[in-house]
Each structure stands twice: as structure tokens, then as C-alpha cells.
Amino acid sequence: MPDRPILSINNLQVDFKNDEGLVTAIHDVSLELSRGKTLGIVGESGSGKSVTALAIMGLLSQTARVRNGEIWFSLDDQSPVNLLKCNAEQIRLYRGDRLAMIFQEPMTSLNPLFTCGYQLVETIQLHQKLSTAASKTRAIELLGEVLLPEPAQIFNRYPHELSGGQLQRVMIAIAISCNPLVLIADEPTTALDVTIQAEILDLLKKLQTNRQMSILFITHDLGVIAQIADQVAVMYKGEIVEYGNTNDIFEQPQHPYTKGLIACRPQMETRLQLLPTISDFMEILPTGEAIAKSTPSSEIVTTDQIAQRLQVLHSKEPLLKVKNLRVEFPLRGVWGETKRYTVAVNDISFEVYAGETLGLVGESGCGKTTTGKAILQLIKPTSGEVWFEGKNVLNFNHRDRQRLRRDLQVVFQDPFGSLNPRMSIGDAIAEPLEIHDFYSNRRQPQKERQERVIYLLKRVGLDKSAYRRYPHEFSGGQRQRICIARALALSPRLIIADESVSALDVSVQAQVLNLLKELQAEFELTYIFISHDLSVVKFMSDRIMVMNQGKIEEINTAEAICSNPQQEYTRKLINAIPKIHFA
């Protein structure tokens, strides 16, 4: 039945049970996936995208309950099957065979104790009657089909021996191993570099064409959806707020939430003072109804304003000078002896001026994070100099380094991993104040610290009630705000933001980027902003330094780098940024 959708969801409603009762995660959702087509589901975290996918696969947690709805799966030679009426044994016959899924984080989806090849063979033998030898041959063919180099070697490697992009390709190979009719891709490119993301999207499109698969693609990034989807469903708080052809959605979005999602992603063509956010486009009434606001006007930063700012910033001596910095890591042999060294940062030199934002951009493994850690002395450089306020910090003793910590702070990529889960938010932010004896000469130092913490919480957009709460009680964006507040506690001069927004929804990312800009103006901060996304780096940065394989490819103003890149590698990064194209 070529005209019949391969997957139809009718009036799906999913509830979750918690201590306070039932919470509805999916409200009356209806969708159709056509044969050989791609349906994109887009929305922020918590919108219900992944819950919809898990309901299709029969993987909802024990606390979930499907209150209403149907999920019809149509095989070519059989009557449609309502997956919600299948028992556990029946759904297992479809799952992994006719229905396959790629999860967001491949490292947690693969078993670290078994080789990639073993896990691929296991899936093949579970659904197909092949011998171990035939399954291995098939597995190596699949690894080659997803364009992994030297597939026979990848077969024998463990997950920790592969990069993020390679792991995601292994997951795709497992998903397509039994020739599924429907492939569900749940945020498969969120944690990847833009260049690797572009490769994965191209790979999925080629596999779809070659295998005539239907794809349900879930993401929070409308730029990615524009690259791959034929139709789009926009989800907000468990409901479909807009649904239609991809080009129609992007050319004439009707719902204010959709308009906000499109607008809040940084653009390469123009630079705005502040990014639009969802709240600029819609207001939530006490009843829960969303009403549209008048379309906000964002102030564009002119070329003259940029030039004047740089002239003022560069009229003074640099705050930070890095000279011939080199970082090597030893590669150990079987018995622990050093066999050779790998060069992570290769003789780089650059300067950062007070009040400036220098963006560091490049793919994973290019040396961005290692450079930041070497400046902070979280790792020891092999050679070179790092001058801060006229002093070579690499010659500091322990006491001088301790004082330096007040002026140099860092915001890491993973806010949850950066916070102690057993420490309240207030204590986490106050901890550096206690370590560095802030307010110790006051009559009530504990009260002074508490007031400082509450002020910082308010400044990053959180209520003082957050003081007694714990990290698990906050969203990813809120936890990143907490980490920013902690970095500000000691009134630093320089903050290194290492992929601080890469794991956030585009709407939350816009809020955090705006916050960082506002704080820079208020506290006269200097940033080194590390990211693999040039569009985000351009919005934040005065100048951009492009790194590749431990070396500096080029360094120039943000506008010059993005409009007139001098190196092929930089052009590759720019071309990989998801763009919205209209038919």
C-alpha cells in the first residue's frame, strides 16, 4: 500500500507517575510518517520528542502510562499493527528488526565491556538466522557502509577507542543491520562537531535513498531539520503546535514558538547585540495558553561599532600573552613505559586584551581545550610562556598560583559533572569564597558570603530559593547559570568558557549567550570562548582563532574570519554550519 503511511500516531497521550501524582508528558499527539520520507520532530528539552519515540519503540519506563492513543505500523505484506496493543514478546520482534533507533549519546548506548563488532554481531544474530562467521562478514560490510575507515579494525575495537563521530557511525550500523523500515534518530548529532554533524546527516540521507527507509528525526535544532526533513512537527510542552511541509514551516511559521526557535540561533550573515529568545515571541498565561507577542526588533551591530570597540580594546597592553606554548602527552606501551609523545598544542602564540572575547574554534582534538587548561595550569605545558598582567604564571609557586585562581576561572561544558551532587547550590557557589578567605575580616563573614551568593543567583536569572536546592533539581540551562555564578564569585578578570553552551537547546543557548554578554559589560570580564560552532563563536567574539591539529590556522576579527576566511580548513567549518534553505 504505497499511499498508506508506514507509521501513524493517533491521539497519543502519555502520563508519568511521580510523588505528586500523574504528569502528562504527551497531549493528544497525532503524526504520520510517509514511506521513504523523513519527518522531523523539533522542540526544546521536555517538549515530549523522545517520549514519543520511546512510545513507538515500546521502551517507556515503568513509571509511564499510555492513557490513550494508537500507533499503527504498516508492513508491506500485512495488515497494520497497533504497536500499543503488542505484548513484550511481540514488540521485540519488530524492535531492532523492522523498527530501529539511534540514541543521542552513543557512548552510553554501547556496552564498554564488549567490542563494537561483538555488539553488531549480537544484533544481527538476534534477528537473522546467520552463522557467527557470516554475521561477522556482514558486520564488517555494515561498518564500511557507514564509511568507517578500516572497518575490519573497527570491528575489534572497544567503544572508548573511537571518537564521538565514529561511535555514532557504529550505532547507525547497528540500527540498519536488519534493514529496518523505520529508523528513529533521537538527537544523533547534538554532541558532535559541525563538520562531523554534516557528515552524519549526509550519511543518513544516502542510507535512506539506498535502503528506502523512512526516518523519524528528533532534534532541538531547526537548522538541522532544514537539512534533512521533508515534513516538520514542532512540539511544545507535549503538544504539536505546528505541523507541515518543511519549506512552508520555515518560510511562513505560524506559531510564535516556531518563530522563536528559528530566530534564536546565531546567524553568520549578521551580528545582533542580543539574540532573540522564545519569551520575546510568546507569553504564557496562568491557564497555560501561549499568546503571541509583537515580533521583537533586534539591534544589529554595525561594522563601525565593531571597529571602534576593537580600537579601544587594543589601545592598552594585553591582559594575557601566550608565547610558543607546547603541550605533549605521553603514549604508554604495554608495560607502562613511554613509547612516544603526541603533540596536542604545537608552539602557538597569541594575545588577549582586557574586556575582549577571543573565540577558539575547531573540531574535537584540535587543541582548544588543552590550550585553555594549560593557561589555567590544570595541565602542565611542555614548554612556552603564559604571561598574565605582565607575569609569567608558569614560574609561579603554589602560593602565587592559588592567588591567580581568583583572577582566572573556567566554565566547563557539562554543568552537571561540574557540580557536586551532594552539595547544595548555595554551598557550591560559596565554596570558592571560603577557600580564598573572602569576607574573613568582616564581623559576619558567613552572612556576607550568603548575601554574595544570593546576589549572584539573582544576577544569572535564578531565584534565591535555589540556594538550598541541589543540582539534580535544575534543568541543563539552569545548571549552566549556576556554574557561571560560581565562576563569578571571586570577581575574576578572565573566564575561559569551554563549550559552555554546546549541549543546550538553541533557545536556552541564546539565553546563556545573552547572559554572558551582559555579565561581560557589567563586570568588565575578559573571555576565551571555546566552541566548535563558528556561528556561536562569531556572535560572542571580537576576534576568532581557528585551531587545527594543535596549530593556529588563522586569527583575525570575527567578521574577517567569517566573511573572508584565508584557510581551507576555516572554509570547511563555515560550510558545515546548518543553514536553512527554501525551495
CSV table of all heavy atoms in Angstrom, one decimal, residues 303-324:
chain,number,residue,atom,x,y,z
A,303,THR,N,29.4,47.6,11.3
A,303,THR,CA,30.9,47.4,11.1
A,303,THR,C,31.7,48.5,11.9
A,303,THR,O,32.7,48.3,12.4
A,303,THR,CB,31.2,47.5,9.6
A,303,THR,OG1,30.4,46.5,9.0
A,303,THR,CG2,32.7,47.2,9.4
A,304,ASP,N,31.1,49.7,11.9
A,304,ASP,CA,31.8,50.9,12.5
A,304,ASP,C,31.9,50.6,14.0
A,304,ASP,O,32.9,50.9,14.7
A,304,ASP,CB,31.1,52.2,12.2
A,304,ASP,CG,31.3,52.6,10.8
A,304,ASP,OD1,32.2,52.1,10.2
A,304,ASP,OD2,30.5,53.5,10.3
A,305,GLN,N,30.8,50.1,14.6
A,305,GLN,CA,30.8,49.8,16.1
A,305,GLN,C,31.8,48.8,16.4
A,305,GLN,O,32.5,48.9,17.5
A,305,GLN,CB,29.3,49.4,16.5
A,305,GLN,CG,28.3,50.5,16.5
A,305,GLN,CD,26.9,49.9,16.8
A,305,GLN,OE1,26.5,48.9,16.2
A,305,GLN,NE2,26.2,50.6,17.7
A,306,ILE,N,31.9,47.8,15.6
A,306,ILE,CA,32.9,46.7,15.9
A,306,ILE,C,34.3,47.2,15.8
A,306,ILE,O,35.1,46.9,16.6
A,306,ILE,CB,32.7,45.6,14.8
A,306,ILE,CG1,31.3,44.9,15.0
A,306,ILE,CG2,33.8,44.5,14.9
A,306,ILE,CD1,30.9,43.9,13.9
A,307,ALA,N,34.6,48.0,14.8
A,307,ALA,CA,35.9,48.6,14.6
A,307,ALA,C,36.3,49.5,15.8
A,307,ALA,O,37.4,49.5,16.3
A,307,ALA,CB,36.0,49.4,13.3
A,308,GLN,N,35.3,50.4,16.2
A,308,GLN,CA,35.6,51.3,17.3
A,308,GLN,C,35.9,50.5,18.6
A,308,GLN,O,36.8,50.9,19.4
A,308,GLN,CB,34.4,52.2,17.5
A,308,GLN,CG,34.2,53.2,16.4
A,308,GLN,CD,32.9,54.0,16.5
A,308,GLN,OE1,32.2,53.9,17.5
A,308,GLN,NE2,32.6,54.8,15.5
A,309,ARG,N,35.1,49.4,18.9
A,309,ARG,CA,35.3,48.6,20.1
A,309,ARG,C,36.7,48.0,20.1
A,309,ARG,O,37.4,48.0,21.1
A,309,ARG,CB,34.2,47.5,20.1
A,309,ARG,CG,34.4,46.5,21.3
A,309,ARG,CD,33.3,45.6,21.4
A,309,ARG,NE,33.7,44.4,22.2
A,309,ARG,CZ,33.7,44.3,23.5
A,309,ARG,NH1,33.4,45.4,24.2
A,309,ARG,NH2,34.1,43.2,24.1
A,310,LEU,N,37.1,47.4,18.9
A,310,LEU,CA,38.4,46.8,18.8
A,310,LEU,C,39.5,47.8,19.0
A,310,LEU,O,40.6,47.5,19.7
A,310,LEU,CB,38.6,46.1,17.5
A,310,LEU,CG,37.9,44.7,17.4
A,310,LEU,CD1,37.9,44.3,15.9
A,310,LEU,CD2,38.5,43.7,18.3
A,311,GLN,N,39.3,49.0,18.5
A,311,GLN,CA,40.4,50.1,18.6
A,311,GLN,C,40.6,50.4,20.1
A,311,GLN,O,41.7,50.6,20.6
A,311,GLN,CB,39.9,51.3,17.8
A,311,GLN,CG,41.0,52.4,17.8
A,311,GLN,CD,40.6,53.6,16.9
A,311,GLN,OE1,39.5,53.6,16.5
A,311,GLN,NE2,41.5,54.5,16.7
A,312,VAL,N,39.5,50.6,20.8
A,312,VAL,CA,39.5,50.9,22.3
A,312,VAL,C,40.2,49.7,23.0
A,312,VAL,O,41.1,50.0,23.9
A,312,VAL,CB,38.1,51.2,22.8
A,312,VAL,CG1,38.2,51.3,24.4
A,312,VAL,CG2,37.6,52.4,22.2
A,313,LEU,N,39.8,48.5,22.8
A,313,LEU,CA,40.3,47.4,23.5
A,313,LEU,C,41.8,47.2,23.3
A,313,LEU,O,42.6,46.9,24.2
A,313,LEU,CB,39.6,46.1,23.1
A,313,LEU,CG,38.1,45.9,23.5
A,313,LEU,CD1,37.5,44.7,22.9
A,313,LEU,CD2,38.0,45.9,25.0
A,314,HIS,N,42.2,47.4,22.0
A,314,HIS,CA,43.6,47.1,21.7
A,314,HIS,C,44.6,48.3,21.9
A,314,HIS,O,45.7,48.2,21.6
A,314,HIS,CB,43.7,46.6,20.2
A,314,HIS,CG,43.1,45.3,20.0
A,314,HIS,ND1,43.1,44.6,18.8
A,314,HIS,CD2,42.4,44.5,20.8
A,314,HIS,CE1,42.5,43.5,18.9
A,314,HIS,NE2,42.1,43.4,20.1
A,315,SER,N,44.0,49.4,22.5
A,315,SER,CA,44.8,50.5,22.8
A,315,SER,C,45.7,50.3,24.1
A,315,SER,O,46.6,51.1,24.3
A,315,SER,CB,44.0,51.8,22.9
A,315,SER,OG,43.1,51.7,24.0
A,316,LYS,N,45.4,49.3,24.8
A,316,LYS,CA,46.1,49.0,26.0
A,316,LYS,C,46.9,47.8,25.9
A,316,LYS,O,46.9,47.1,24.9
A,316,LYS,CB,45.1,48.8,27.2
A,316,LYS,CG,44.1,50.0,27.4
A,316,LYS,CD,43.0,49.6,28.4
A,316,LYS,CE,42.0,50.7,28.6
A,316,LYS,NZ,40.9,50.4,29.5
A,317,GLU,N,47.7,47.5,26.9
A,317,GLU,CA,48.6,46.3,26.9
A,317,GLU,C,47.7,45.0,27.0
A,317,GLU,O,46.7,45.1,27.7
A,317,GLU,CB,49.6,46.3,28.1
A,317,GLU,CG,50.8,47.2,27.8
A,317,GLU,CD,51.6,46.7,26.7
A,317,GLU,OE1,52.0,45.5,26.7
A,317,GLU,OE2,52.0,47.5,25.8
A,318,PRO,N,48.1,43.9,26.4
A,318,PRO,CA,47.3,42.7,26.5
A,318,PRO,C,47.2,42.2,28.0
A,318,PRO,O,48.2,42.4,28.7
A,318,PRO,CB,48.1,41.7,25.7
A,318,PRO,CG,48.9,42.5,24.7
A,318,PRO,CD,49.2,43.8,25.5
A,319,LEU,N,46.0,41.7,28.3
A,319,LEU,CA,45.9,41.1,29.7
A,319,LEU,C,46.6,39.8,29.7
A,319,LEU,O,47.2,39.4,30.8
A,319,LEU,CB,44.4,40.9,30.0
A,319,LEU,CG,44.0,40.3,31.3
A,319,LEU,CD1,44.4,41.2,32.5
A,319,LEU,CD2,42.6,39.9,31.4
A,320,LEU,N,46.6,39.0,28.6
A,320,LEU,CA,47.2,37.7,28.6
A,320,LEU,C,48.0,37.6,27.3
A,320,LEU,O,47.6,37.9,26.2
A,320,LEU,CB,46.0,36.6,28.5
A,320,LEU,CG,46.5,35.1,28.4
A,320,LEU,CD1,47.0,34.6,29.7
A,320,LEU,CD2,45.3,34.3,27.9
A,321,LYS,N,49.2,37.0,27.5
A,321,LYS,CA,50.1,36.7,26.4
A,321,LYS,C,50.6,35.3,26.4
A,321,LYS,O,51.1,34.8,27.5
A,321,LYS,CB,51.4,37.6,26.4
A,321,LYS,CG,51.1,39.1,26.1
A,321,LYS,CD,52.4,39.8,26.0
A,321,LYS,CE,52.3,41.3,25.7
A,321,LYS,NZ,53.6,42.0,25.7
A,322,VAL,N,50.3,34.5,25.4
A,322,VAL,CA,50.8,33.2,25.3
A,322,VAL,C,51.9,33.1,24.2
A,322,VAL,O,51.7,33.5,23.1
A,322,VAL,CB,49.6,32.2,24.9
A,322,VAL,CG1,50.1,30.8,24.7
A,322,VAL,CG2,48.5,32.3,26.0
A,323,LYS,N,53.0,32.6,24.6
A,323,LYS,CA,54.2,32.5,23.7
A,323,LYS,C,54.7,31.1,23.5
A,323,LYS,O,55.0,30.5,24.5
A,323,LYS,CB,55.3,33.4,24.3
A,323,LYS,CG,55.0,34.9,24.4
A,323,LYS,CD,56.2,35.7,24.9
A,323,LYS,CE,55.8,37.2,25.0
A,323,LYS,NZ,57.0,38.0,25.5
A,324,ASN,N,54.7,30.7,22.3
A,324,ASN,CA,55.3,29.4,21.9
A,324,ASN,C,54.8,28.2,22.8
A,324,ASN,O,55.6,27.4,23.3
A,324,ASN,CB,56.8,29.5,21.9
A,324,ASN,CG,57.3,30.6,21.1
A,324,ASN,OD1,57.9,31.6,21.6
A,324,ASN,ND2,57.1,30.5,19.8
